[in-house]
Amino acid sequence: MKNIKTTILSNQEVSPDYYRMKILAPGISDLAQPGQFVMFRAQATDEPLLRRPFGIFQTGTLPSDCDGLPDKEFVEILYKVVGRGTAIMRELHEGDRVEVLGPLGRGFELADDGREQILVGGGIGLVPLYMLASELVKKNKVRLLIGGRSRKDVLMVTEFERLGVETYVSTDDGTLGEQGPVTQVLERKLSKFPDAVVYACGPMPMLEAVFRICQPRQVALQVSLEAFMACGVGACLGCVVKGAGHSEQQPHYLCTCKEGPVFRAEELDWELLEKRVNEGEHSHE
Amino acid sequence: MSEMLLSAGSTADGPDLAVEFAGLRLKNPVMPASGTFGYGEEYSPYMDLNRLGAIVTKGLSLRPKAGNPTPRIAETNGGMLNAIGLQNVGVDAFVEQKLPFLKEVQTPVIVNFFGNSLEEYGQAAQRLSQIDEIAAVELNISCPNVKRGGIVFGTDPGAAAEVVSLVRRHFNKPLIVKLTPNVTDITVIARAVEEAGADAISCINTLTGLAVDIRRRRPRLANGTGGLSGPALRPLAVRMVYQVVQAVSLPVIGVGGIMSAEDALEFLIAGAHAVQVGTANFVDPAAMINIVDGLKQFCQEEGVAGISELIGTLRC
Ligand SMILES: Cc1cc2nc3c(=O)[nH]c(=O)nc-3n(C[C@H](O)[C@H](O)[C@H](O)COP(=O)(O)OP(=O)(O)OC[C@H]3O[C@@H](n4cnc5c(N)ncnc54)[C@H](O)[C@@H]3O)c2cc1C
Ligand SMILES: Cc1cc2nc3c(=O)[nH]c(=O)nc-3n(C[C@H](O)[C@H](O)[C@H](O)COP(=O)(O)O)c2cc1C
Ligand code: FES
């Protein structure tokens, strides 16, 4: 885990409102595990004040510009512009100074013991699944079910296919792939491969629906959650979710930043998560 | 550095940042604000904890506390609101699981604690007085007394004095009392806790605020209101520190919106003996170390041999 001041290597639009940014990150890049994230800030000002959490899309090395200099180890993030912080990020260019803290949190456990591997991504939720897929394809058949509101919200399909992942696209409005929720594809796949393991990341209502499908079938499920974060390291206790068995008398809170963001489904209290969804929290993707 | 500058208090490696107050000797005046630094361990991968003047823990209660429903935090302009609800592991788990790590650090440990009734404060103080490794306690009195209709101890001079004198009876080491800014006149409370036996005052805790989600017409925090912290709070905090310094003869620790060495210096010049850094840790885990370095550099630039020479030098 490192806190570094560094520079941007590239920042490109991939679809309207979606960008991918490569950041020079020696010391972070080599430690990162699939499902981990970084806390990012563009500038040392009070506005916006807090760093923003972003999943690690991939890590890698670029050859250095000059002979004799070390290769450039990078972390790549993929983000959607939704507010003040991400609006500033979209304006950044190669060479701009930024600060990155990471890699943070607990990533995915690889359940790559020969079972079918199914990844489910909703919108920007596909970010942590790419690094996961790159690991899983080494030993397994991997399928990605990817959903979004519309064509523009379905990203990186060719990148996943290049890894050898079989992809299934669905959109709410039918502008790309089949029309309907990604969970309808999941139900079909699970009837065909009842022993599959599932990894999911996306908006809360989608995760909730994925859980409702996996639970009765006793399918092993890991989910990656989002929460408002201030510190990202377990110090502020601002990002907690209710764990399984939580009650007023015996409270059981888990830090999304430290004990997550990836949880095994059985670690969480889904009744309470469901309540949050119905209250309309986390409506953005 | 020229030899001319090597006067009393300064050392060969530059100005002396050490401060002494309330029976505490700290290598520098910079420490974390309670609740923003966990139990120290959380930030240890990013910094050398030995470089801090002291470590202040998350607020502890006698028994573990669950905290509030989520969302618990909301960013605002130049600050943030929090309603964590004082979630903590409780004194016993702190001693078993967290203290062994802190023992290895060459920095005094200050335990922040609270209760929701006089009895709870008393019992916690008694328990903490038995722990050798604790250098001092910081008493958070910004909590409601659930047995007296929920009145916040720190907003009433009588209730504040009562809880401070009770804790004083159980605790011999330095007792720092942390004041809430949610009062009309903070000097009234400061005088009350001085008379009740406090050794030092830290101020301020967060200022109660409300942020609204305009589409849902609901508060952005599940709890409704939350405590404002961060740079937006700073001028208010400096003003309150200055008022308290004028009103009592106790040493004061300044807290509220400190992001940089310059910010910390405002508090020291206004009369604080030390400072606590809270929200800035979230923004940059290197914040406190940068502040320590920045204080040293400022002393050098100003030709000051020791930081304590700057304390209370505000010209009004
Ligand atoms: C572990 C983790 C990984 C994440 N990975 C990615 C990623 O790979 N790509 C990506 O685009 N986004 C990701 N996010 C979400 C991202 O952090 C937020 O979109 C970002 O902080 C918004 O900043 P902003 O200043 O643009 O928005 P703001 O102006 O702060 O807010 C705009 C809107 O975004 C919502 N929002 C703000 N922060 C969060 C948050 N932390 N979680 C959920 N909603 C939020 C607000 O409620 C508001 O509706 C992740 C969040 C977490 C916790
Ligand atoms: C997330 C969070 C948790 C806090 N928890 C405590 C606490 O447990 N006890 C306490 O006395 N103060 C607590 N505080 C208040 C801080 O110690 C400090 O007084 C306040 O945040 C102002 O300083 P700052 O602007 O530097 O953050 C907390 C503040 C924050 C932001
Ligand atoms: S974000 Fe601070 S504890 Fe998780």
Side-chain angles (χ1 to χ4, degrees):
Chain A
M1 289 174 282
K2 271 210 165 137
N3 176 31
I4 58 171
K5 285 197 167 79
T6 183
T7 52
I8 291 175
L9 298 173
S10 63
N11 188 29
Q12 298 169 319
E13 185 170 33
V14 289
S15 176
D17 293 332
Y18 292 91
Y19 291 76
R20 57 194 293 187
M21 182 190 281
K22 278 198 177 77
I23 307 160
L24 185 67
I28 295 180
S29 155
D30 47 328
L31 294 177
Q33 299 293 318
Q36 288 191 298
F37 67 99
V38 294
M39 293 291 279
F40 174 96
R41 81 166 165 162
Q43 51 189 10
T45 65
D46 298 346
E47 210 49 50
L49 184 66
L50 299 170
R51 292 191 187 209
R52 301 291 192 250
F54 293 98
I56 297 172
F57 177 68
Q58 70 169 329
T59 60
T61 14
L62 293 175
S64 88
D65 310 327
C66 319
D67 285 343
L69 286 181
D71 288 346
K72 297 177 191 162
E73 291 172 47
F74 68 84
V75 160
E76 185 168 28
I77 61 176
L78 183 63
Y79 61 94
K80 181 180 183 186
V81 176
V82 297
R84 294 184 302 165
T86 43
I88 291 170
M89 286 168 73
R90 86 180 330 152
E91 303 299 330
L92 297 174
H93 301 283
E94 181 185 350
D96 284 345
R97 304 288 293 166
V98 295
E99 293 177 33
V100 186
L101 178 69
L104 300 170
R106 182 178 68 161
F108 291 102
E109 277 169 43
L110 303 189
D112 51 351
D113 49 8
R115 285 179 283 179
E116 296 286 329
Q117 309 283 316
I118 299 181
L119 317 186
V120 185
I124 195 71
L126 101 166
V127 168
L129 301 179
Y130 186 75
M131 217 175 145
L132 175 67
S134 339
E135 283 302 316
L136 292 175
V137 288
K138 292 177 185 164
K139 289 202 221 152
N140 310 264
K141 171 90 194 153
V142 181
R143 291 181 173 78
L144 170 72
L145 322 184
I146 174 170
R149 284 203 192 116
S150 194
R151 175 186 205 96
K152 85 183 228 325
D153 303 303
V154 178
L155 313 167
M156 301 292 157
V157 178
T158 12
E159 275 78 357
F160 276 93
E161 284 174 347
R162 257 186 242 137
L163 291 175
V165 173
E166 206 170 293
T167 58
Y168 302 83
V169 175
S170 55
T171 48
D172 295 347
D173 62 4
T175 45
L176 195 68
E178 93 178 49
Q179 180 168 14
V182 67
T183 42
Q184 131 194 329
V185 189
L186 178 64
E187 284 195 281
R188 280 205 312 269
K189 291 294 156 207
L190 286 179
S191 335
K192 214 160 146 199
F193 309 109
D195 293 330
V197 290
V198 176
Y199 312 80
C201 183
M204 249 346 270
M206 182 204 96
L207 295 181
E208 164 73 19
V210 169
F211 173 71
R212 298 284 164 230
I213 293 167
C214 290
Q215 192 203 26
R217 295 175 167 85
Q218 296 180 329
V219 167
L221 168 66
Q222 292 176 51
V223 294
S224 178
L225 300 186
E226 284 191 11
F228 294 112
M229 291 185 175
C231 71
V233 300
C236 74
L237 305 179
C239 66
V240 297
V241 284
K242 284 165 182 154
H246 174 95
S247 68
E248 277 304 307
Q249 296 72 35
Q250 295 251 284
H252 179 44
Y253 280 114
L254 300 166
C255 270
T256 306
C257 69
K258 196 151 192 191
E259 284 140 316
V262 178
F263 294 96
R264 278 181 276 118
E266 58 275 18
E267 291 176 291
L268 300 171
D269 184 333
W270 287 89
E271 296 307 319
L272 290 155
L273 285 174
E274 186 175 22
K275 196 164 148 266
R276 285 212 312 198
V277 174
N278 294 337
E279 283 168 1
E281 196 195 324
H282 281 210
S283 51
H284 106 297
E285 298 176 23
Chain B
M1 201 177 75
S2 83
E3 271 182 39
M4 293 284 287
L5 286 179
L6 281 177
S7 61
S10 102
T11 62
D13 42 86
D16 186 7
L17 292 189
V19 289
E20 225 169 331
F21 62 93
L24 290 167
R25 191 180 152 75
L26 311 181
K27 58 188 153 238
N28 66 59
V30 182
M31 60 183 96
S34 175
T36 65
F37 205 62
Y39 303 97
E41 217 170 332
E42 289 81 353
Y43 277 104
S44 61
Y46 309 104
M47 64 170 3
D48 180 2
L49 299 178
N50 294 303
R51 294 204 55 204
L52 300 176
I55 292 175
V56 184
T57 67
K58 172 73 192 160
L60 294 174
S61 45
L62 192 62
R63 276 170 287 279
K65 197 153 185 272
N68 286 331
T70 56
R72 290 176 169 186
I73 51 176
E75 191 185 46
T76 56
N77 291 351
M80 62 180 277
L81 294 180
N82 90 80
I84 306 299
L86 294 168
Q87 179 182 342
N88 78 93
V89 297
V91 173
D92 286 333
F94 167 75
V95 172
E96 274 164 40
Q97 298 158 21
K98 312 288 179 185
L99 197 58
F101 171 83
L102 290 174
K103 274 187 207 171
E104 301 303 316
V105 183
Q106 300 305 311
T107 299
V109 175
I110 299 175
V111 167
N112 178 290
F113 79 102
F114 68 95
N116 285 116
S117 65
L118 272 177
E119 297 73 51
E120 282 181 28
Y121 273 105
Q123 289 162 357
Q126 220 162 357
R127 180 76 181 84
L128 291 168
S129 70
Q130 298 156 359
I131 304 162
D132 293 339
E133 292 82 4
I134 297 177
V137 289
E138 182 181 60
L139 185 63
N140 177 0
I141 57 171
S142 309
C143 298
N145 185 348
V146 292
K147 296 208 174 141
R148 287 226 197 117
I151 180 171
V152 173
F153 285 99
T155 60
D156 177 79
E162 203 177 358
V163 63
V164 172
S165 49
L166 174 75
V167 169
R168 178 76 289 174
R169 257 179 272 138
H170 292 298
F171 197 80
N172 298 324
K173 283 186 258 184
L175 168 59
I176 304 161
V177 179
K178 184 166 179 183
L179 302 188
T180 167
N182 301 310
V183 291
T184 322
D185 183 353
I186 198 162
T187 62
V188 175
I189 311 290
R191 281 195 209 96
V193 308
E194 178 176 45
E195 273 165 38
D199 296 313
I201 284 174
S202 50
C203 68
I204 55 178
N205 212 316
T206 54
L207 184 69
T208 305
L210 175 67
V212 176
D213 179 332
I214 56 171
R215 306 242 172 248
R216 292 167 57 218
R217 275 77 140 175
R218 287 210 195 173
R220 281 166 61 196
L221 297 179
N223 183 58
T225 59
L228 178 66
S229 66
L233 194 63
R234 190 170 58 247
L236 181 97
V238 176
R239 183 264 288 177
M240 287 192 160
V241 164
Y242 181 68
Q243 283 184 306
V244 170
V245 167
Q246 303 302 308
V248 299
S249 54
L250 295 180
V252 173
I253 304 174
V255 201
I258 297 175
M259 307 297 286
S260 66
E262 287 78 9
D263 300 345
L265 282 158
E266 286 197 39
F267 283 89
L268 296 172
I269 291 167
H273 277 74
V275 293
Q276 294 181 349
V277 178
T279 304
N281 296 312
F282 306 153
V283 177
D284 183 2
M288 287 192 288
I289 300 300
N290 292 340
I291 291 171
V292 171
D293 292 341
L295 290 179
K296 195 159 225 172
Q297 198 188 332
F298 182 81
C299 289
Q300 246 149 12
E301 285 166 8
E302 294 286 309
V304 174
I307 193 86
S308 50
E309 287 177 27
L310 291 171
I311 294 171
T313 52
L314 184 67
R315 304 183 186 121
C316 278

